[in-house]
Amino acid sequence: MRAVLWRVRVFAGQFGLLAALALVAALLITAAPRLANDLTDRALREDVARLPYSARDITLEQRPDSVADDPKLGSAEAALATHRDRMPAQVRGLIGDAWFTAGIEGVTFAPAGPRTQFGLRTQAGMTDRVRVTAGRWPANGPEVRGIEVAVSTAVAKQLGASVGTVLEVDPAPQRGVGAGLPAVTVVGVFEPVDATDRAWDTLRLALEPFAGLPPETPGAVMAVTDGPGLGTAARSLGPLSLTWRYRIDEKRLDGGMLEPLITAFAEVKRTPPAPGLTTSTNLDATLVRFDGQLRAVSALLAVVQAGLVATLLGLIALAAALAVERRREEFALLRARGGTIAAIGGRALAESLVVLPLATAAGWLLGTYVPGRAAATGWLVVATGVVATLVIPVLAAVSQRRLSFTARRQDLVRHRPSVRRLTAELFFLVVACLGVYLLRRRGLSQDGGVDPYLASVPVLLAVGAAIIALRVFPWPLGQLGRLAARARGAVAFLGLARAGRGAPVTIGPLAVLVVAIATGIFSAVVMSSIGDARDRAADQEIPADARVSGFAFTPDTAERLAAVPGVTAVAPVAVDTATSYTSASGRGSVLVAVVDAAALDRVVRSSGVGVSVPPALVDARPGGGPLPALVSPDIAAEVGAGGATTMHSHAFDFTVAAVADAFPGIGSTSGRFIVLPLQALPDPAAVALNQFLVAGDASAEALRAASAEGSASGVTVTTWADHRRDLDETGANEVLSFTFTTGAVGATALALLAVGFTVLAGARIRGQVLSRLRTLGLSGRQGRGLLVYELVPLVAIAVLAGGLVGVFLPRVIGPALGLSSFTSGAAVRTALDPLLVGAVLALVAASLAAAVFVENVINRRLRLGEVLRVGQEGS
């Protein structure tokens, strides 16, 4: 054991390098998935947290025929825990807060103010969430005549009511109201203790009443009462609505539970906890969308991690080969003294066992300190440790299969490989091509996770490209060598001659470089392609610098917006998402949009977005016939040449003038839409506008202020830049950015290391050559030039082969990655960022500079004057 430790200390530099590479590999394998999981969990929680309550919460609803058996609604309130306990365990464990609410909807009253839709609600625990500012809280019972209610200060102001006001009911026979509701008396006015409390989500009209749009659209308010009061109202009015709402605590969610949770939500929807209940939630849709993004980013991370791990393993192999080569004389002497190949391998294995397993374990241990859920990568860490430990013993044993006691030329390779090697290379290429076929057919991310073989297909393609490049490059390199022989100076000729004889350009360094460069360029190309697709998606959804949305804008709103400083063009839009069409073939539902196409064309041109407006709509003008319309393919197949549609109670005849899958600024989840030209309507003012597309550099605040005067509801201003930023920040985009950064930075660092290893591998032979050339008058500057000429072919071939693989890889395996889930459905096309070319050139320059630096360090350490003598002694 002491002898083993002594040899480890003697070759501490070699084992230290291998240990560092093994540690980094184990750290990467352990830490990268954990950090990705941490980013995934945070992104999932943020996505769920920003959902409205109607989409996030699980709401169970029941409409009982009568409450005579339970006028105080006590048993319904007690069912809050019962229903929760009957839900699947996956859902039950995520429920945080829960609320029971009972109410009557759509009752029309005629109080002191204008006609108002007036609803009654009661909710468990409400007395703890309000502060009574006038009167008292309702206390209904048998001795109370009528119904006592409480209203908020805002509702009291809109109704003109105060404590003691009696609200008269306006019966609504069409809703089954016959005798009317007993007198409703306001006995209290309150303010919420915390208006942002999620318990108020379904009672928002009780705090923020809707003023209405006289004379057609009535206002809407809500009053609150207690259980007995609502029971009395239900006996007279009906129908009563009972809801049990359960809040999903986003802090308990993580990406690892998506699949079982989606299944559990489907079960809750399909089989409610009790008969007569209906379940509503859209959280499952959000989880399905996030799961699709997570599958795509997991596939990308697997590809990038496979490339980086393969590069690290290649570097470990290069470092081990360098260590074995430095100890070739030692192993040859052992063989000469009768040592067997197994004994030599065992000797090297004993040394490796002292260092490399511990280094691998240290890398794994460091990785466990990274925040995030642990991933099932333990087997890969063990495999990496085994490879790192066995690589030196295996190479040492293989190097001594043939006894040789003379020095050999290490700057020569066989230009005619053996049939066995050619067969192995051909088989490798076939395996890579088969992987591409299976990857495109089956996809990368399966239900059971990512297939390791399919995730390694990009690595196989990169190594295959290196094999092909190794077989192709000698001819053009030979031509360059002939040209250099005719030129003045010997440095270029000598450097290219050594490169042509295979001094640095062998399959090991070349394959490692190609894999590293391909991984980095693949990451950069996918990142730029997704960015380009998001730009196109943003152009399609907001084909302007800003979009102003509201409800029932006045006709002069467009003029006010056009008068805002910085605005260059304004296009009014009206969208009705729930209307229908009629044609000779039948009737169907459709989204109808009325757009001033001529103004939209000016907006698009002024904003510079990458979309266009069909000329058939732009050139439309008022006339006596049907309106020209752009329709979706589904509608075109159903309506034929044309039909009729309605919008805001106005009928429009149309003919199909154009068919398109999408129209700028008009989003339809169903893919069924009809777009009509607003400027061609006989009376454009008859359409209630709800959107304006604005071109120019006006601020969002100025647009909001100008448009708020002409809208009866809140105005939302969304700029193109804000929408584009939202595409980058929602869903699993943080994981995506982490993947790209890891791939680009990691591949760059490993590529530089590969060049450094290449320099180290040939340092001794190159030192002998330089020593001989120094005697012939070679200067230090020319010596550095000789190194550059040797490495340029290696780096150029690696950049060319790796670049081609990295650029075309997204196109080859893109359909299997599902990248469109990150781009709002926009197709992901291969896009090259001009900065990528500069980055590649910078990498080439940096690699050559690093090579020269390493060479200078080695030359100072070896002292070139002694290299020739040492080399001759070794021979």
Side-chain angles (χ1 to χ4, degrees):
M1 185 62 184
R2 181 177 300 177
V4 173
L5 295 177
W6 180 83
R7 291 195 302 270
V8 170
R9 188 179 64 207
V10 170
F11 300 107
Q14 300 172 7
F15 283 108
L17 181 60
L18 282 169
L21 291 173
L23 186 148
V24 171
L27 179 62
L28 175 67
I29 294 170
T30 307
R34 292 179 69 99
L35 188 55
N37 287 341
D38 182 61
L39 295 173
T40 297
D41 296 344
R42 284 194 290 172
L44 174 61
R45 293 161 187 164
E46 290 173 0
D47 274 11
V48 173
R50 66 169 60 98
L51 290 176
Y53 79 91
S54 57
R56 172 181 177 175
D57 298 344
I58 301 175
T59 302
L60 305 178
E61 185 176 4
Q62 185 180 31
R63 294 184 179 271
D65 297 331
S66 173
V67 294
D69 296 334
D70 188 19
K72 295 185 179 182
L73 304 176
S75 61
E77 181 180 343
L80 195 64
T82 303
H83 295 333
R84 179 184 56 205
D85 294 340
R86 292 177 179 175
M87 292 183 186
Q90 295 89 342
V91 175
R92 189 169 61 247
L94 297 177
I95 293 176
D97 296 328
W99 304 275
F100 166 73
T101 306
I104 298 176
E105 303 288 349
V107 181
T108 303
F109 283 79
R115 183 166 60 100
T116 305
Q117 297 291 331
F118 192 91
L120 287 177
R121 290 289 176 88
T122 184
Q123 189 180 80
M126 183 172 291
T127 55
D128 298 329
R129 292 189 286 270
V130 299
R131 182 177 62 255
V132 178
T133 59
R136 59 178 175 81
W137 193 250
N140 292 281
E143 68 284 355
V144 177
R145 298 185 60 183
I147 301 174
E148 295 182 350
V149 300
V151 296
S152 67
T153 303
V155 171
K157 180 179 179 180
Q158 178 167 318
L159 295 180
S162 59
V163 176
T165 299
V166 178
L167 304 176
E168 300 294 336
V169 62
D170 180 12
Q174 70 273 17
R175 295 184 61 85
V177 179
L181 187 69
V184 176
T185 304
V186 177
V187 298
V189 179
F190 67 88
E191 285 288 340
V193 175
D194 181 7
T196 62
D197 192 329
R198 294 303 183 185
W200 293 104
D201 286 340
T202 56
L203 307 174
R204 191 53 54 185
L205 284 175
L207 305 181
E208 302 170 3
F210 174 58
L213 295 173
E216 293 184 358
T217 306
V221 300
M222 191 175 290
V224 296
T225 184
D226 54 8
L230 194 65
T232 302
R235 288 194 295 271
S236 301
L237 267 180
L240 182 67
S241 173
L242 307 179
T243 59
W244 297 265
R245 185 163 64 96
Y246 301 90
R247 168 57 52 97
I248 298 298
D249 186 359
E250 76 277 4
K251 297 179 181 178
R252 305 180 190 180
L253 287 169
D254 64 64
M257 60 174 61
L258 285 178
E259 291 186 19
L261 192 57
I262 292 171
T263 303
F265 273 115
E267 181 181 349
V268 171
K269 283 187 170 182
R270 184 174 56 253
T271 309
L277 296 177
T278 59
T279 307
S280 63
T281 182
N282 282 330
L283 184 56
D284 54 338
T286 300
L287 296 181
V288 169
R289 176 186 58 82
F290 192 92
D291 184 57
Q293 290 190 353
L294 185 57
R295 287 175 179 269
V297 77
S298 298
L300 276 174
L301 182 60
V303 170
V304 171
Q305 191 176 20
L308 296 180
V309 171
T311 305
L312 279 169
L313 293 178
L315 291 176
I316 290 175
L318 291 180
L322 178 61
V324 170
E325 181 60 31
R326 293 291 172 85
R327 299 176 63 183
R328 182 176 59 84
E329 291 82 359
E330 173 192 346
F331 295 144
L333 181 60
L334 292 175
R335 283 285 282 160
R337 292 177 176 177
T340 63
I341 294 177
I344 294 174
R347 177 188 178 96
L349 178 60
E351 299 165 0
S352 297
L353 287 174
V354 174
V355 179
L356 297 177
L358 293 177
T360 306
W364 169 81
L365 184 61
L366 288 176
T368 58
Y369 285 98
V370 174
R373 288 180 291 110
T377 57
W379 66 272
L380 192 54
V381 173
V382 173
T384 301
V386 171
V387 170
T389 303
L390 295 180
V391 63
I392 285 184
V394 171
L395 292 179
V398 171
S399 66
Q400 297 302 314
R401 287 184 304 170
R402 296 180 181 178
L403 288 174
S404 176
F405 304 102
T406 60
R408 56 190 179 90
R409 291 282 301 275
Q410 296 177 349
D411 59 342
L412 293 179
V413 295
R414 295 182 60 182
H415 290 286
R416 292 186 179 181
S418 65
V419 176
R420 180 182 301 175
R421 179 166 180 174
L422 289 176
T423 302
E425 292 176 353
L426 182 61
F427 176 77
F428 189 92
L429 294 175
V430 170
V431 171
C433 294
L434 179 62
V436 172
Y437 170 77
L438 293 177
L439 188 59
R440 292 178 62 89
R441 185 178 180 87
R442 295 168 47 189
L444 184 58
S445 181
Q446 305 295 325
D447 293 337
V450 177
D451 189 324
Y453 167 59
L454 297 181
S456 63
V457 166
V459 175
L460 299 178
L461 287 177
V463 176
I467 292 174
I468 295 174
L470 189 65
R471 299 298 166 221
V472 171
F473 95 95
W475 184 83
L477 195 58
Q479 301 304 314
L480 290 177
R482 292 187 180 93
L483 292 177
R486 299 175 184 176
R488 296 181 60 184
V491 175
F493 169 73
L494 291 174
L496 293 175
R498 280 179 50 80
R501 289 197 300 269
V505 187
T506 58
I507 188 59
L510 182 61
V512 172
L513 263 178
V514 170
V515 172
I517 293 173
T519 301
I521 292 181
F522 168 76
S523 301
V525 169
V526 172
M527 180 169 56
S528 60
S529 300
I530 290 179
D532 174 72
R534 286 174 174 169
D535 289 342
R536 287 186 280 107
D539 289 346
Q540 184 66 37
E541 295 173 15
I542 302 183
D545 292 311
R547 179 180 63 196
V548 180
S549 305
F551 182 70
F553 288 102
T554 56
D556 61 342
T557 305
E559 297 178 2
R560 285 199 301 273
L561 287 172
V564 174
V567 173
T568 58
V570 178
V573 180
V575 179
D576 190 344
T577 59
T579 186
S580 60
Y581 73 88
T582 57
S583 65
S585 60
R587 180 183 181 91
S589 60
V590 71
L591 177 148
V592 175
V594 180
V595 182
D596 189 336
L600 179 60
D601 185 61
R602 293 192 295 269
V603 169
V604 167
R605 294 177 184 273
S606 179
S607 301
V609 295
V611 296
S612 60
V613 185
L617 298 187
V618 174
D619 300 333
R621 295 295 181 268
L627 298 170
L630 180 142
V631 301
S632 62
D634 290 346
I635 299 299
E638 296 172 8
V639 303
T645 187
T646 58
M647 186 176 193
H648 301 157
S649 303
H650 296 279
F652 302 103
D653 295 329
F654 67 89
T655 58
V656 177
V659 179
D661 293 327
F663 185 84
I666 306 301
S668 173
T669 56
S670 65
R672 299 169 58 85
F673 60 85
I674 299 174
V675 181
L676 303 175
L678 177 65
Q679 77 276 11
L681 297 183
D683 183 15
V687 176
L689 303 174
N690 50 25
Q691 288 185 25
F692 292 92
L693 297 171
V694 182
D697 57 357
S699 66
E701 292 75 13
L703 295 175
R704 187 178 295 107
S707 56
E709 302 176 12
S711 176
S713 64
V715 174
T716 302
V717 178
T718 306
T719 64
W720 186 95
D722 289 340
H723 181 68
R724 178 63 179 83
R725 185 170 55 251
D726 288 341
L727 293 178
D728 286 336
E729 295 178 353
T730 57
N733 286 289
E734 288 190 24
V735 192
L736 192 68
S737 300
F738 165 74
T739 301
F740 292 149
T741 303
T742 302
V745 175
T748 301
L750 295 180
L752 294 177
L753 279 177
V755 173
F757 276 114
T758 303
V759 175
L760 285 174
R764 186 176 295 274
I765 299 299
R766 192 180 303 106
Q768 295 178 8
V769 172
L770 289 177
S771 295
R772 294 187 178 99
L773 292 176
R774 285 286 180 87
T775 63
L776 300 178
L778 187 74
S779 66
R781 180 177 180 181
Q782 289 175 322
R784 291 189 293 271
L786 179 64
L787 172 64
V788 171
Y789 277 111
E790 283 187 20
L791 291 179
V792 162
L794 171 67
V795 176
I797 294 168
V799 168
L800 182 61
L804 289 176
V805 172
V807 169
F808 287 102
L809 197 57
R811 184 172 299 180
V812 173
I813 69 172
L817 297 178
L819 299 178
S820 60
S821 60
F822 293 98
T823 61
S824 293
V828 179
R829 306 166 187 164
T830 301
L832 288 178
D833 191 334
L835 295 177
L836 180 60
V837 178
V840 171
L841 295 178
L843 174 62
V844 172
S847 62
L848 295 178
V852 172
F853 174 77
V854 172
E855 179 79 358
N856 286 336
V857 172
I858 295 174
N859 288 344
R860 290 193 185 98
R861 184 174 180 182
L862 292 179
R863 290 178 296 183
L864 284 179
E866 300 178 4
V867 170
L868 182 60
R869 177 173 54 82
V870 172
Q872 289 174 340
E873 288 179 355
S875 61

